[in-house]
Amino acid sequence: MLTREDNETLTRIGPGTPMGELMRRFWMPFLLREELPHPDCPPLRVTLLGEQYVAFRDSAGRVGLLDRFCPHRRADLYFARNEECGLRCVYHGWKFDVDGNVLDMPAEPPDTPLKREVKACAYPTFEAGGIVWAYLGDPAQKPPRPPELEWTLVPDSHSFVTKRLQESNYAQAVEGGIDSSHVSILHSRLDPAKAGQPFRQRQISINQKVPYLASDTSPKFFVRDTDYGMVIGARRNAGDDAYYWRITQFLMPFYTMIARTIEDGPILGHAWTPIDDHHTWTFTMTWNPLRPLAEHERDPSVAVHAPVADDGSFAPLLNKRNGYGLDREIQRLNSSTGIEGIGMQDAAIQESMGPIVDRSKETLASSDAAIVAYRRLMLKKARELREGKPPQAPAHPEWYRVRSAGIVLKKGIDFQQGAAHRLALT
Amino acid sequence: MLTREDNETLTRIGPGTPMGELMRRFWMPFLLREELPHPDCPPLRVTLLGEQYVAFRDSAGRVGLLDRFCPHRRADLYFARNEECGLRCVYHGWKFDVDGNVLDMPAEPPDTPLKREVKACAYPTFEAGGIVWAYLGDPAQKPPRPPELEWTLVPDSHSFVTKRLQESNYAQAVEGGIDSSHVSILHSRLDPAKAGQPFRQRQISINQKVPYLASDTSPKFFVRDTDYGMVIGARRNAGDDAYYWRITQFLMPFYTMIARTIEDGPILGHAWTPIDDHHTWTFTMTWNPLRPLAEHERDPSVAVHAPVADDGSFAPLLNKRNGYGLDREIQRLNSSTGIEGIGMQDAAIQESMGPIVDRSKETLASSDAAIVAYRRLMLKKARELREGKPPQAPAHPEWYRVRSAGIVLKKGIDFQQGAAHRLALT
Amino acid sequence: MLTREDNETLTRIGPGTPMGELMRRFWMPFLLREELPHPDCPPLRVTLLGEQYVAFRDSAGRVGLLDRFCPHRRADLYFARNEECGLRCVYHGWKFDVDGNVLDMPAEPPDTPLKREVKACAYPTFEAGGIVWAYLGDPAQKPPRPPELEWTLVPDSHSFVTKRLQESNYAQAVEGGIDSSHVSILHSRLDPAKAGQPFRQRQISINQKVPYLASDTSPKFFVRDTDYGMVIGARRNAGDDAYYWRITQFLMPFYTMIARTIEDGPILGHAWTPIDDHHTWTFTMTWNPLRPLAEHERDPSVAVHAPVADDGSFAPLLNKRNGYGLDREIQRLNSSTGIEGIGMQDAAIQESMGPIVDRSKETLASSDAAIVAYRRLMLKKARELREGKPPQAPAHPEWYRVRSAGIVLKKGIDFQQGAAHRLALT
C-alpha cells in the first residue's frame, strides 16, 4: 500500500505536479500515424497530461501540435482550416505554422507588429514506429529523439500497432503491464470437461507452449533496477531441476513488455500514455524483428489487442458501459472472467478499481514485488527531479534497446545471464 | 421548516454521519430474494448508505455481502467468480467465503500467513419476507433478526413485494409515506363530466369505499410516539356524529404503513432504504394475513406499486427522464396530476423537490403535523446515539407487529382505543 | 485580456454577483409568446440568471412567473395544475395567482390565517414583440416597460423572432454580436473555382451587395459611448474617396444589432439572455418597419436564425454533440468553416471557447476595439451599481429606438452624422 500522499504523487500528471513534470521530460507517443493520414488533413483534438492541444499535418507533411485555443480570442483551433502550410483560425483568420509562427492576420492592418510578437504555443513532434510522438516539456531539455524501443526500429511490415482508450489512470494500467502473476489467474482458460471440479484443477495455461503458467500460479519475483527502469524475473517451477523465467521490463516512464514465448516469435509490448488523471491511451505493439507479420498477426482481436470504435474515439467495443460483454456462463465453463480477449480482461479489471485506485487500502503480497519496485522507482525519480536531479533516460534513447523473454533455465543460473542472448537486440 | 444544519443531519446517511450511524443500528432490506435466485448465481453490485458492496449467494445458498473491492489490489468483486462456496477475485485469485475468510490465494506461496491474516469485510445478511436484509453496523450491536413487520411473517403466497429506484433522498420519501393529507389532493381523481366546474367540486376519492378522502380534504392530525416510532391518526369528518380515522404508523428507521381500507382486505406498506444521499430503494408490500393474494393483487401496475425496467436497475418505466408520462389533457379532465399510478404520482412529486429538498425554505402548515413529529423523532434518536444512548427498537423486533387501519368511530372515542382490534396482529 | 477577477465579474450572473445585480435592473426577454400559447396551457420550467422559475398563462391570459418550488413543501410547480386563474400545486393543493397570492389551501382548515400570510414569490412579466419579458429585480426599481427596441414596436406581420439555446456564457455571445471584424473571416464563402489558390484570394463576401466585407478584412473601429450603451463604426475601404461604414449598436445589458445592408431591407438583431453562467437564450429578430415580411424571410434556416429541436429545448439541430455538422470538404472548397448557416458558425466558435472563455489568456488586437469598450462599459456599470449609482437606461425605454446601418460615406464625413437618417427610427 501507499500513503494517500504518495498515491497522489504517483498518479497525478497535470501541469506542475511532480509526476507530470517528470513525464514532461520524455517524448510520448500519442497518435497513430494514420490519424493524420495526409497533408492538410483535418486537425485533431488532443488531450495529453491533462492539457488540451490540437494536432495537424501541414501541406509539407509535418505534424504540428499547438495549444488547443487560439492565442487571439481562444477559439478552438479544431475548427481551424488546415491550408497552405498552416492552421488558420476561422474566427479572425490568424494563421499559424507547425512552429507556432504567425503566417497571416487578415483582420489586422498589414503592418501590425503582432505578426512578429505573437506566437502560438507549439510543441515538437516526431514520427517513429507508426506513431506520432510529442515532447511537452522545457525546450532546452528536449531529448534528441524518442526511445529506441525495438518496435520503432523495425520496418512497418514487421510491426502492428493499435491504440485504445482506457478509462483509468495510467499507473494502474502500468501495474497490470508488469504484473507477471495475474497471468496465471485473470487470463486462465478453464477446461469445460472438468466443470464439476475445483477451479484450480481446471485451469489451462493461456499459452499451451508455457504450461508452467497454469501449473505454478505463485511465481517468485526478482526485480532489478536498470538504467531505463527495471527488469523483472518471475520464476516458476519447471520440473525438478529447472525454472521457467518470465522476464519483462518496465521502461520509464510508462512502457511495459510482455514475455516473448517463442524464441523467434512475435514480441508484444505496451505504452500507457496519460491522457489525463482518469484516462490513458493504451498503445499495443506486436512486432517481429526477423520477418514481416502475417495477416493473422495483424488482427485487432488477437493477443492483447482489442477492437475499438472507428469513430476516432478509440473506445473499445467492449467497455464498462456494456459490462465488457461479461458472459457468466462462459465464466462458469470456459474462463476465469467470462470476458473475451486478454486485452479486455486487463482493461475490465484495471478500470474496475475506479479511475484512480485507492492504494492506501491495499493488502500487498509477494505477488506484488514488481509493483512495489515500480512505485518506489517512479516516486524516487519524481522526487529527484524536484530536487534538481533530472532523469538520465530521456537523453539515452539507446538504453531502450531491450527485449523480453520467457525461458527455461537450470536451477542456479542467474536469469539475466542465462537469458542474455534473448534480452539484447541483435 | 428545519435549519440547514438539521436538514443535513436528517438526510445525510454516509459513514460517520449521525443519521448514518443510527441507520447502521438496524437491519435493512436491500434485495428482493429473487435477485440472487440460486446458489452460485452472478454476484450483484450493491450500494447502501453511500457505501459500495458486492452481494452473492454461495454454493450452500447463503447470501454474502462483502466490501465491493478486493482487499488485495482493489479489483471490483463484481467481476469475481462465484464458485464452490466462495467468491474468487479474478485478478490474482484470492477467494472469500460469506464471512470474509480467505479460502484460497493461488498467487502466494502455499504456506503464506496472509491466508490467516487477511479478511474481506463481510456483513451479516438475513432472508425474510421475500427480501434479503443486511446489517452494516458494529457486530457487537447486531440485533437478533429483522423487525417482525407483518409482511415478513406471512407465507409467500399471502404477500407481494416490489422494488423500485427512487431518485431522491430517503427522508422526503418517508415524509410522503406518512403524509395522510396529500392523499386527498395528489391522488385525486376528477369527474370528467364536471369539466367546467372548479377543481374542488370535481374531486372523486381515490377509494370509493372512503368518500371522506374527497369530502374532507383537511384532516386533523393526532400523532403519538410509540416504542417502534409513532402512530398517526388523521381525522376527517364522517357525518354529524362520527369521524373517519386514517391510522398509519411510522416505524424506525424508514418504514411506513398505508391505511387498510377494508377490514379483511389487503394491507400496504413501504420500506424506504437509503442507497446514498440522493437515491432510495422503495420497497412496496401488499399482504393479506388471512388468505393468499389473488392474481390481480400481484400486478405491479396496481395500488402503489409501479412497473420497473427488467434490466436489474429497478428504474421505473415512468421517471423524470420521460416526465413520468405526464399527460396534460388527462390532468385537465381526469386527475390532479395527469400521471398514471399512485406510486408514480408520489415518486414524481417527491423527486421533483430535487435530490434533497431544502427544508429551510418550507412553510409548514397543519397538514404537516406528522412530518414535524417524524423529523423531531429521528433527529432526537440520532442525537441520543451520539450521546451514547442507542435506539432500543432494533433489539425488539416484536415491537413492529402492528397494522394500519381506516375506520369510522363515533365522536369522543380515542382512535387508538376504538381501533385497537384493527391495529394489533392477531 | 481581462484579469481573472474582471472576467468573473463580467460573466457571473447569479444572485448577489455584481453583474447579476446589474442585469436584475432590466426587463429581460425569456420566452417566445407562443411557448404559452393559450389560457391555462401547461406551465413551463424556466431558468434565468441562474435561478429556477415556473411560467404559466392563467385563465385570463396573464403570464405568471413564480419561484419554481411551492412555498409549502417545495414540490416543483411545473407539475401543478393550471386552472381557474391560478396554479395549483398537486401535492397539497395550494393554489397561487400570477401575483403569488394564495387562492386556495384545501388541506388546511377553512379559516387558516396562512391564506393571508403566505405568498409565492412572483415576478412581473410583459408581452411585447412576440416575446414574454420578466423583471427579476427589486420591485421598487421596476422600469415602466421593456426597452423600445424597434422589433417590439412593429406589427407582428413585420417581424420574425426565433430562439435557440446557446451552450456558453452570455458575454462571449455578446462579444460575437458586436464583432464587425469576424464577419470577413468566419462567415466568408470561398470561390470553389479557385480551389488551388490561397485563402485570401478566394474569399467571397457574405453579402454580394457589400463586396467590401471581403475586399477589406481589417476594418478600423470607432466606438462611442451612448446613453443606451455604445455605437460602433467599423470602417472599411470602399474605393479611393469613400469608406464603407458598418454601424452597429450594443444596447445594455445584452442586445446587439446587425448592420442593415439595404436601406429599406430587413434589419437583424439579437438578445442574449443569460440562462445561467454557462447557457444563454439567443433570440434572433428579423424585422422591417416598412412592410410585412415575406414568407422566405420567416425561414428559420436563413440569415442568422438556425433550426432548433421542436421538443421545447430550443437546442439547435446542429450543436456541439454532432460537431455542428462540420464538413471538411465544404470547408476546403466552399467556406471558411464547413458549417452551414451564419448563426451556427457563430455558435460553434463561441461555444468552442468553453462555457466561459478564459479572457486572461487572450491577445487582443485592433479588431477587438469594440469588445474592449463593451467590457469596460459593463464592468463600469456593475461597479457603479455596487457603489450606489444604478444604471439610467432601464428607466428610459425610449433610448433604445435606434437602428443599425451599412453605408458608404465620403472620406472625412463623421459616420454618425453621415448616417443619421439611417440610424434613427422614423
Side-chain angles (χ1 to χ4, degrees), chain A residues 126-165:
Chain A
F126 197 102
E127 293 188 66
I131 278 180
V132 186
W133 305 67
Y135 176 75
L136 301 178
D138 177 2
Q141 310 294 335
K142 183 165 74 90
R145 58 188 180 282
E148 293 178 3
L149 292 151
E150 188 174 34
W151 50 268
T152 69
L153 306 176
V154 301
D156 283 1
S157 58
H158 292 43
S159 78
F160 176 55
V161 180
T162 62
K163 171 179 169 179
R164 66 174 166 82
L165 177 67

Side-chain angles (χ1 to χ4, degrees), chain A residues 52-54 66-78 96 120-121, chain C residues 351-354 357 361:
Chain A
Q52 295 180 296
Y53 306 94
V54 65
L66 306 180
D67 273 354
R68 174 92 165 270
F69 300 99
C70 180
H72 177 213
R73 289 260 300 284
R74 311 276 301 157
D76 185 345
L77 291 173
Y78 167 77
F96 307 96
C121 284
Chain C
E351 294 180 2
S352 85
M353 303 164 176
V357 64
K361 294 183 173 166

Side-chain angles (χ1 to χ4, degrees), chain B residues 357-401:
Chain B
V357 64
D358 185 349
R359 291 176 177 79
S360 74
K361 293 185 174 165
E362 294 174 331
T363 310
L364 295 183
S366 68
S367 64
D368 303 305
I371 278 85
V372 170
Y374 154 73
R375 296 174 186 177
R376 191 181 298 139
L377 173 65
M378 290 302 285
L379 290 172
K380 173 165 161 266
K381 292 291 175 186
R383 190 177 58 242
E384 286 178 352
L385 176 59
R386 247 180 146 66
E387 291 165 353
K389 194 180 154 199
Q392 298 303 301
H396 293 279
E398 73 282 5
W399 288 354
Y400 287 75
R401 300 172 69 95

Side-chain angles (χ1 to χ4, degrees), chain B residues 63-84:
Chain B
V63 175
L65 185 66
L66 305 180
D67 272 355
R68 173 92 166 270
F69 299 99
C70 180
H72 177 213
R73 290 261 299 284
R74 311 274 303 157
D76 185 345
L77 292 174
Y78 167 78
F79 289 99
R81 216 167 163 273
N82 190 4
E83 55 163 50
E84 299 117 37

